[in-house]
Amino acid sequence: MQATDLSTDHVLCLHCQHVSKTNVKYCPVCDQVLHQRKRDSYVRTLAFTIAALIFYIPANYFPIMKTETLIFYENSTILDGIFYFFEHGEYFVGTVIFMASVFVPLVKLLVLIFLLYSVKMGSKWKRVDKNQLYTTIYIIGRWSMLDIFVMGIMISMVHFGDIAMVTLGWASLSFATMVVLTMFATESFDTRLLWDENDENE
Amino acid sequence: MIDEMKTLCCPSCGLMLKSEDKGNSVKCPRCYALVIKEGHRLSYDLALSIAALILYFPAMFLPILSYKMGLATQTGNMFFALKYFYEDGYELLSVIVFFTTILAPFIYIITSFLMFSALYEKRKTKFMNMYFSILFYLREWVMLDIYIISILVSIVKLQATADVMFGSGLIFLVGLSLCSFLLSNAFSPRKIWRAYHASDRS
């Protein structure tokens, strides 16, 4: 039997990592309100994940960038941009963009759904790995913003009036919203929920 | 206050631990997450925040890239991108990009400068809670490292059509992002609060 904060009536302050008794309301070290778990962690994470999933679809389906020059007009989606790199032999950059804007957000959302499902089921299967998975998506999640920044630089550089012009498409807005929502979702998930269930049986 | 900080609790699985308090990092025996992260000395953080503060203004206001197409030359940095985002009707997007690449880094650097200088000089501040909360919540919204990578990607993308030259701001930006990366890596709540309460005592 391993003692957790729940079984020994302690509460951890996530801000300063000071451990207090449960009857203490405010952290004596940093004055924050103490909660034993992140508040409404499960529901908040679920809500943000679903919202992000909804935004994921238009983000990939609609054009994210419009290129206009004297001779041609082109609407391109995120995937078109990636294919462009592969066609021109820039495999490394193509892979980076693919990872950052298609693969990572999707994997992140699937991992969150999987984690929420295991919390719901109270499963004890490979909890260490699940923790590791959470840490990983927490770290790599921010990198999805890469595509938006690239777009910003492209637009500010290619701005030659009628001759050549790059403008944004609608997908950029839903893409950015999706990334921000996934960041909120990861932030509100509390990994301790994975470990809390059935602790007494150990 | 400092003596009470000897009981530990793993923030990612809730396991209670006893600390040996040797001033080094501690890993959780159950989920292998980092329980305590001991940072560097306070002078390290202070030095980094001063360096970042010096680098911030040239990095943000000097042109980062310039792009030549025919006779026309275009120089750009994030402010131009924001202007075009705004003009094209993507106000929300320009707010998100402004926040993550310009405002959040500035607030983060200023706050860490104020906080670490107060801690370093053992000065008492009323705003310690505010400073700490700002750093705590803003940490993952500072996206300068992603910004650097996005500049590299857009160089590759633009090179196919015209000459791309580095602007004078780029070197400052690389320095700034390095400083802010090291600064947020050295962030250790335990160290900060211990230093604060140590100054409280003397």
mmCIF file of all heavy atoms in Angstrom, chain B residues 131-164:
data_model
loop_
_atom_site.group_PDB
_atom_site.id
_atom_site.type_symbol
_atom_site.label_atom_id
_atom_site.label_comp_id
_atom_site.label_asym_id
_atom_site.label_seq_id
_atom_site.Cartn_x
_atom_site.Cartn_y
_atom_site.Cartn_z
ATOM 1 N N TYR B 131 3.749 38.177 -9.289
ATOM 2 C CA TYR B 131 4.886 37.813 -10.144
ATOM 3 C C TYR B 131 4.901 36.317 -10.396
ATOM 4 O O TYR B 131 5.008 35.861 -11.528
ATOM 5 C CB TYR B 131 6.221 38.180 -9.463
ATOM 6 C CG TYR B 131 6.499 39.637 -9.303
ATOM 7 C CD1 TYR B 131 7.406 40.077 -8.336
ATOM 8 C CD2 TYR B 131 5.896 40.593 -10.114
ATOM 9 C CE1 TYR B 131 7.688 41.419 -8.171
ATOM 10 C CE2 TYR B 131 6.174 41.921 -9.956
ATOM 11 C CZ TYR B 131 7.065 42.340 -8.980
ATOM 12 O OH TYR B 131 7.347 43.656 -8.818
ATOM 13 N N PHE B 132 4.774 35.558 -9.307
ATOM 14 C CA PHE B 132 4.892 34.110 -9.456
ATOM 15 C C PHE B 132 3.778 33.549 -10.324
ATOM 16 O O PHE B 132 4.021 32.711 -11.196
ATOM 17 C CB PHE B 132 4.900 33.426 -8.087
ATOM 18 C CG PHE B 132 5.132 31.956 -8.192
ATOM 19 C CD1 PHE B 132 6.416 31.466 -8.340
ATOM 20 C CD2 PHE B 132 4.080 31.065 -8.199
ATOM 21 C CE1 PHE B 132 6.647 30.117 -8.472
ATOM 22 C CE2 PHE B 132 4.295 29.708 -8.341
ATOM 23 C CZ PHE B 132 5.583 29.240 -8.468
ATOM 24 N N SER B 133 2.541 34.037 -10.100
ATOM 25 C CA SER B 133 1.420 33.521 -10.898
ATOM 26 C C SER B 133 1.609 33.842 -12.362
ATOM 27 O O SER B 133 1.320 33.014 -13.237
ATOM 28 C CB SER B 133 0.104 34.119 -10.420
ATOM 29 O OG SER B 133 -0.077 33.804 -9.075
ATOM 30 N N ILE B 134 2.090 35.060 -12.649
ATOM 31 C CA ILE B 134 2.315 35.432 -14.050
ATOM 32 C C ILE B 134 3.301 34.459 -14.692
ATOM 33 O O ILE B 134 3.044 33.896 -15.753
ATOM 34 C CB ILE B 134 2.826 36.876 -14.159
ATOM 35 C CG1 ILE B 134 1.705 37.846 -13.813
ATOM 36 C CG2 ILE B 134 3.344 37.169 -15.562
ATOM 37 C CD1 ILE B 134 2.146 39.275 -13.733
ATOM 38 N N LEU B 135 4.431 34.227 -14.024
ATOM 39 C CA LEU B 135 5.438 33.333 -14.596
ATOM 40 C C LEU B 135 4.885 31.925 -14.735
ATOM 41 O O LEU B 135 5.113 31.238 -15.730
ATOM 42 C CB LEU B 135 6.692 33.301 -13.717
ATOM 43 C CG LEU B 135 7.502 34.581 -13.607
ATOM 44 C CD1 LEU B 135 8.794 34.310 -12.889
ATOM 45 C CD2 LEU B 135 7.793 35.152 -14.974
ATOM 46 N N PHE B 136 4.125 31.504 -13.735
ATOM 47 C CA PHE B 136 3.605 30.132 -13.710
ATOM 48 C C PHE B 136 2.666 29.870 -14.881
ATOM 49 O O PHE B 136 2.749 28.847 -15.547
ATOM 50 C CB PHE B 136 2.887 29.914 -12.380
ATOM 51 C CG PHE B 136 2.467 28.509 -12.131
ATOM 52 C CD1 PHE B 136 3.380 27.586 -11.637
ATOM 53 C CD2 PHE B 136 1.172 28.096 -12.373
ATOM 54 C CE1 PHE B 136 3.006 26.284 -11.397
ATOM 55 C CE2 PHE B 136 0.788 26.788 -12.134
ATOM 56 C CZ PHE B 136 1.705 25.879 -11.649
ATOM 57 N N TYR B 137 1.756 30.813 -15.129
ATOM 58 C CA TYR B 137 0.759 30.580 -16.170
ATOM 59 C C TYR B 137 1.230 30.964 -17.565
ATOM 60 O O TYR B 137 0.742 30.466 -18.563
ATOM 61 C CB TYR B 137 -0.539 31.333 -15.846
ATOM 62 C CG TYR B 137 -1.270 30.736 -14.686
ATOM 63 C CD1 TYR B 137 -1.426 31.416 -13.499
ATOM 64 C CD2 TYR B 137 -1.776 29.445 -14.788
ATOM 65 C CE1 TYR B 137 -2.086 30.843 -12.422
ATOM 66 C CE2 TYR B 137 -2.437 28.864 -13.718
ATOM 67 C CZ TYR B 137 -2.599 29.561 -12.547
ATOM 68 O OH TYR B 137 -3.240 28.990 -11.503
ATOM 69 N N LEU B 138 2.169 31.893 -17.655
ATOM 70 C CA LEU B 138 2.568 32.419 -18.959
ATOM 71 C C LEU B 138 3.615 31.561 -19.644
ATOM 72 O O LEU B 138 3.877 31.717 -20.825
ATOM 73 C CB LEU B 138 3.104 33.838 -18.770
ATOM 74 C CG LEU B 138 2.839 34.828 -19.893
ATOM 75 C CD1 LEU B 138 1.353 34.979 -20.101
ATOM 76 C CD2 LEU B 138 3.459 36.159 -19.551
ATOM 77 N N ARG B 139 4.215 30.643 -18.867
ATOM 78 C CA ARG B 139 5.397 29.940 -19.330
ATOM 79 C C ARG B 139 5.212 29.264 -20.682
ATOM 80 O O ARG B 139 6.058 29.353 -21.559
ATOM 81 C CB ARG B 139 5.805 28.904 -18.299
ATOM 82 C CG ARG B 139 7.269 28.856 -18.022
ATOM 83 C CD ARG B 139 7.520 28.457 -16.603
ATOM 84 N NE ARG B 139 7.046 27.110 -16.360
ATOM 85 C CZ ARG B 139 7.784 26.019 -16.578
ATOM 86 N NH1 ARG B 139 8.992 26.135 -17.057
ATOM 87 N NH2 ARG B 139 7.303 24.838 -16.307
ATOM 88 N N GLU B 140 4.085 28.576 -20.871
ATOM 89 C CA GLU B 140 3.988 27.850 -22.132
ATOM 90 C C GLU B 140 3.418 28.701 -23.266
ATOM 91 O O GLU B 140 3.325 28.246 -24.388
ATOM 92 C CB GLU B 140 3.216 26.543 -21.979
ATOM 93 C CG GLU B 140 1.879 26.677 -21.365
ATOM 94 C CD GLU B 140 1.026 25.439 -21.619
ATOM 95 O OE1 GLU B 140 1.342 24.657 -22.513
ATOM 96 O OE2 GLU B 140 0.028 25.301 -20.917
ATOM 97 N N TRP B 141 3.036 29.935 -22.976
ATOM 98 C CA TRP B 141 2.528 30.805 -24.032
ATOM 99 C C TRP B 141 3.611 31.666 -24.655
ATOM 100 O O TRP B 141 3.345 32.422 -25.575
ATOM 101 C CB TRP B 141 1.391 31.671 -23.500
ATOM 102 C CG TRP B 141 0.239 30.832 -23.087
ATOM 103 C CD1 TRP B 141 -0.005 30.380 -21.820
ATOM 104 C CD2 TRP B 141 -0.779 30.281 -23.914
ATOM 105 N NE1 TRP B 141 -1.116 29.592 -21.822
ATOM 106 C CE2 TRP B 141 -1.617 29.512 -23.086
ATOM 107 C CE3 TRP B 141 -1.052 30.359 -25.278
ATOM 108 C CZ2 TRP B 141 -2.720 28.834 -23.584
ATOM 109 C CZ3 TRP B 141 -2.159 29.680 -25.757
ATOM 110 C CH2 TRP B 141 -2.970 28.932 -24.915
ATOM 111 N N VAL B 142 4.819 31.578 -24.125
ATOM 112 C CA VAL B 142 5.936 32.283 -24.751
ATOM 113 C C VAL B 142 6.459 31.394 -25.871
ATOM 114 O O VAL B 142 7.028 30.349 -25.617
ATOM 115 C CB VAL B 142 7.053 32.562 -23.729
ATOM 116 C CG1 VAL B 142 8.225 33.244 -24.384
ATOM 117 C CG2 VAL B 142 6.513 33.417 -22.603
ATOM 118 N N MET B 143 6.210 31.785 -27.116
ATOM 119 C CA MET B 143 6.504 30.878 -28.223
ATOM 120 C C MET B 143 7.636 31.368 -29.106
ATOM 121 O O MET B 143 7.599 31.219 -30.320
ATOM 122 C CB MET B 143 5.236 30.663 -29.054
ATOM 123 C CG MET B 143 4.145 30.010 -28.258
ATOM 124 S SD MET B 143 2.796 29.523 -29.293
ATOM 125 C CE MET B 143 1.724 28.742 -28.115
ATOM 126 N N LEU B 144 8.658 31.957 -28.487
ATOM 127 C CA LEU B 144 9.758 32.482 -29.296
ATOM 128 C C LEU B 144 10.537 31.387 -30.009
ATOM 129 O O LEU B 144 10.989 31.575 -31.136
ATOM 130 C CB LEU B 144 10.702 33.293 -28.403
ATOM 131 C CG LEU B 144 10.176 34.653 -27.983
ATOM 132 C CD1 LEU B 144 11.109 35.278 -26.974
ATOM 133 C CD2 LEU B 144 10.039 35.566 -29.179
ATOM 134 N N ASP B 145 10.690 30.229 -29.350
ATOM 135 C CA ASP B 145 11.434 29.136 -29.979
ATOM 136 C C ASP B 145 10.733 28.651 -31.253
ATOM 137 O O ASP B 145 11.377 28.371 -32.263
ATOM 138 C CB ASP B 145 11.643 27.977 -28.985
ATOM 139 C CG ASP B 145 10.410 27.706 -28.136
ATOM 140 O OD1 ASP B 145 9.432 28.465 -28.280
ATOM 141 O OD2 ASP B 145 10.426 26.751 -27.354
ATOM 142 N N ILE B 146 9.396 28.613 -31.186
ATOM 143 C CA ILE B 146 8.634 28.203 -32.368
ATOM 144 C C ILE B 146 8.751 29.256 -33.470
ATOM 145 O O ILE B 146 8.846 28.933 -34.650
ATOM 146 C CB ILE B 146 7.161 27.981 -31.977
ATOM 147 C CG1 ILE B 146 7.100 26.965 -30.850
ATOM 148 C CG2 ILE B 146 6.342 27.522 -33.156
ATOM 149 C CD1 ILE B 146 5.782 26.874 -30.180
ATOM 150 N N TYR B 147 8.775 30.495 -33.037
ATOM 151 C CA TYR B 147 8.925 31.611 -33.976
ATOM 152 C C TYR B 147 10.222 31.484 -34.780
ATOM 153 O O TYR B 147 10.228 31.659 -36.009
ATOM 154 C CB TYR B 147 8.886 32.907 -33.159
ATOM 155 C CG TYR B 147 8.871 34.197 -33.943
ATOM 156 C CD1 TYR B 147 8.342 34.266 -35.212
ATOM 157 C CD2 TYR B 147 9.393 35.354 -33.370
ATOM 158 C CE1 TYR B 147 8.339 35.460 -35.902
ATOM 159 C CE2 TYR B 147 9.380 36.553 -34.048
ATOM 160 C CZ TYR B 147 8.863 36.598 -35.319
ATOM 161 O OH TYR B 147 8.866 37.774 -35.988
ATOM 162 N N ILE B 148 11.320 31.143 -34.095
ATOM 163 C CA ILE B 148 12.610 30.966 -34.776
ATOM 164 C C ILE B 148 12.516 29.876 -35.839
ATOM 165 O O ILE B 148 12.934 30.058 -36.989
ATOM 166 C CB ILE B 148 13.711 30.580 -33.751
ATOM 167 C CG1 ILE B 148 13.951 31.727 -32.762
ATOM 168 C CG2 ILE B 148 15.007 30.199 -34.449
ATOM 169 C CD1 ILE B 148 14.661 32.890 -33.347
ATOM 170 N N ILE B 149 11.938 28.732 -35.462
ATOM 171 C CA ILE B 149 11.817 27.628 -36.420
ATOM 172 C C ILE B 149 10.937 28.045 -37.600
ATOM 173 O O ILE B 149 11.213 27.716 -38.753
ATOM 174 C CB ILE B 149 11.256 26.364 -35.731
ATOM 175 C CG1 ILE B 149 12.154 25.942 -34.565
ATOM 176 C CG2 ILE B 149 11.131 25.220 -36.719
ATOM 177 C CD1 ILE B 149 13.549 25.551 -34.966
ATOM 178 N N SER B 150 9.884 28.826 -37.293
ATOM 179 C CA SER B 150 9.004 29.241 -38.391
ATOM 180 C C SER B 150 9.729 30.182 -39.351
ATOM 181 O O SER B 150 9.456 30.170 -40.548
ATOM 182 C CB SER B 150 7.744 29.894 -37.836
ATOM 183 O OG SER B 150 8.034 31.182 -37.371
ATOM 184 N N ILE B 151 10.679 30.967 -38.851
ATOM 185 C CA ILE B 151 11.475 31.815 -39.747
ATOM 186 C C ILE B 151 12.313 30.939 -40.677
ATOM 187 O O ILE B 151 12.373 31.177 -41.890
ATOM 188 C CB ILE B 151 12.375 32.770 -38.933
ATOM 189 C CG1 ILE B 151 11.515 33.824 -38.246
ATOM 190 C CG2 ILE B 151 13.400 33.454 -39.828
ATOM 191 C CD1 ILE B 151 12.247 34.627 -37.233
ATOM 192 N N LEU B 152 12.921 29.893 -40.111
ATOM 193 C CA LEU B 152 13.720 28.980 -40.941
ATOM 194 C C LEU B 152 12.855 28.339 -42.023
ATOM 195 O O LEU B 152 13.248 28.276 -43.191
ATOM 196 C CB LEU B 152 14.353 27.886 -40.069
ATOM 197 C CG LEU B 152 15.409 28.352 -39.089
ATOM 198 C CD1 LEU B 152 15.958 27.176 -38.318
ATOM 199 C CD2 LEU B 152 16.540 29.060 -39.824
ATOM 200 N N VAL B 153 11.663 27.891 -41.631
ATOM 201 C CA VAL B 153 10.772 27.255 -42.608
ATOM 202 C C VAL B 153 10.399 28.230 -43.713
ATOM 203 O O VAL B 153 10.423 27.890 -44.895
ATOM 204 C CB VAL B 153 9.511 26.713 -41.905
ATOM 205 C CG1 VAL B 153 8.483 26.267 -42.925
ATOM 206 C CG2 VAL B 153 9.864 25.557 -41.000
ATOM 207 N N SER B 154 10.092 29.480 -43.328
ATOM 208 C CA SER B 154 9.677 30.400 -44.394
ATOM 209 C C SER B 154 10.843 30.808 -45.281
ATOM 210 O O SER B 154 10.620 31.098 -46.455
ATOM 211 C CB SER B 154 8.947 31.623 -43.844
ATOM 212 O OG SER B 154 9.337 31.915 -42.572
ATOM 213 N N ILE B 155 12.070 30.776 -44.747
ATOM 214 C CA ILE B 155 13.220 31.023 -45.617
ATOM 215 C C ILE B 155 13.277 29.953 -46.707
ATOM 216 O O ILE B 155 13.404 30.252 -47.892
ATOM 217 C CB ILE B 155 14.542 31.039 -44.811
ATOM 218 C CG1 ILE B 155 14.618 32.294 -43.953
ATOM 219 C CG2 ILE B 155 15.745 30.990 -45.748
ATOM 220 C CD1 ILE B 155 15.759 32.306 -42.987
ATOM 221 N N VAL B 156 13.125 28.690 -46.285
ATOM 222 C CA VAL B 156 13.143 27.588 -47.255
ATOM 223 C C VAL B 156 12.030 27.768 -48.281
ATOM 224 O O VAL B 156 12.218 27.584 -49.479
ATOM 225 C CB VAL B 156 13.000 26.238 -46.525
ATOM 226 C CG1 VAL B 156 12.836 25.107 -47.524
ATOM 227 C CG2 VAL B 156 14.214 25.991 -45.664
ATOM 228 N N LYS B 157 10.860 28.165 -47.802
ATOM 229 C CA LYS B 157 9.708 28.307 -48.664
ATOM 230 C C LYS B 157 9.882 29.445 -49.669
ATOM 231 O O LYS B 157 9.513 29.325 -50.830
ATOM 232 C CB LYS B 157 8.479 28.579 -47.801
ATOM 233 C CG LYS B 157 7.225 27.878 -48.255
ATOM 234 C CD LYS B 157 6.179 27.955 -47.165
ATOM 235 C CE LYS B 157 4.861 27.385 -47.609
ATOM 236 N NZ LYS B 157 3.906 27.271 -46.518
ATOM 237 N N LEU B 158 10.462 30.556 -49.208
ATOM 238 C CA LEU B 158 10.580 31.727 -50.073
ATOM 239 C C LEU B 158 11.748 31.633 -51.037
ATOM 240 O O LEU B 158 11.735 32.233 -52.105
ATOM 241 C CB LEU B 158 10.743 32.983 -49.213
ATOM 242 C CG LEU B 158 9.519 33.434 -48.417
ATOM 243 C CD1 LEU B 158 9.916 34.474 -47.407
ATOM 244 C CD2 LEU B 158 8.454 33.981 -49.345
ATOM 245 N N GLN B 159 12.762 30.859 -50.644
ATOM 246 C CA GLN B 159 13.985 30.775 -51.442
ATOM 247 C C GLN B 159 13.742 30.326 -52.871
ATOM 248 O O GLN B 159 14.468 30.702 -53.779
ATOM 249 C CB GLN B 159 14.943 29.791 -50.775
ATOM 250 C CG GLN B 159 16.232 30.438 -50.376
ATOM 251 C CD GLN B 159 17.112 29.479 -49.625
ATOM 252 O OE1 GLN B 159 16.790 28.306 -49.471
ATOM 253 N NE2 GLN B 159 18.229 29.969 -49.152
ATOM 254 N N ALA B 160 12.696 29.530 -53.061
ATOM 255 C CA ALA B 160 12.410 29.009 -54.391
ATOM 256 C C ALA B 160 12.101 30.128 -55.381
ATOM 257 O O ALA B 160 12.396 30.016 -56.561
ATOM 258 C CB ALA B 160 11.239 28.032 -54.316
ATOM 259 N N THR B 161 11.509 31.212 -54.909
ATOM 260 C CA THR B 161 11.053 32.239 -55.838
ATOM 261 C C THR B 161 11.945 33.465 -55.919
ATOM 262 O O THR B 161 11.979 34.133 -56.934
ATOM 263 C CB THR B 161 9.634 32.707 -55.470
ATOM 264 O OG1 THR B 161 9.596 32.935 -54.069
ATOM 265 C CG2 THR B 161 8.614 31.659 -55.842
ATOM 266 N N ALA B 162 12.649 33.801 -54.867
ATOM 267 C CA ALA B 162 13.447 35.020 -54.919
ATOM 268 C C ALA B 162 14.554 34.984 -53.873
ATOM 269 O O ALA B 162 14.676 34.035 -53.106
ATOM 270 C CB ALA B 162 12.550 36.238 -54.677
ATOM 271 N N ASP B 163 15.345 36.048 -53.828
ATOM 272 C CA ASP B 163 16.441 36.131 -52.864
ATOM 273 C C ASP B 163 15.920 36.495 -51.479
ATOM 274 O O ASP B 163 15.149 37.439 -51.338
ATOM 275 C CB ASP B 163 17.443 37.218 -53.296
ATOM 276 C CG ASP B 163 18.234 36.759 -54.502
ATOM 277 O OD1 ASP B 163 18.313 35.539 -54.708
ATOM 278 O OD2 ASP B 163 18.752 37.630 -55.223
ATOM 279 N N VAL B 164 16.362 35.757 -50.510
ATOM 280 C CA VAL B 164 16.005 36.084 -49.136
ATOM 281 C C VAL B 164 17.276 36.462 -48.392
ATOM 282 O O VAL B 164 18.279 35.774 -48.484
ATOM 283 C CB VAL B 164 15.334 34.893 -48.421
ATOM 284 C CG1 VAL B 164 14.874 35.290 -47.046
ATOM 285 C CG2 VAL B 164 14.182 34.373 -49.241
#
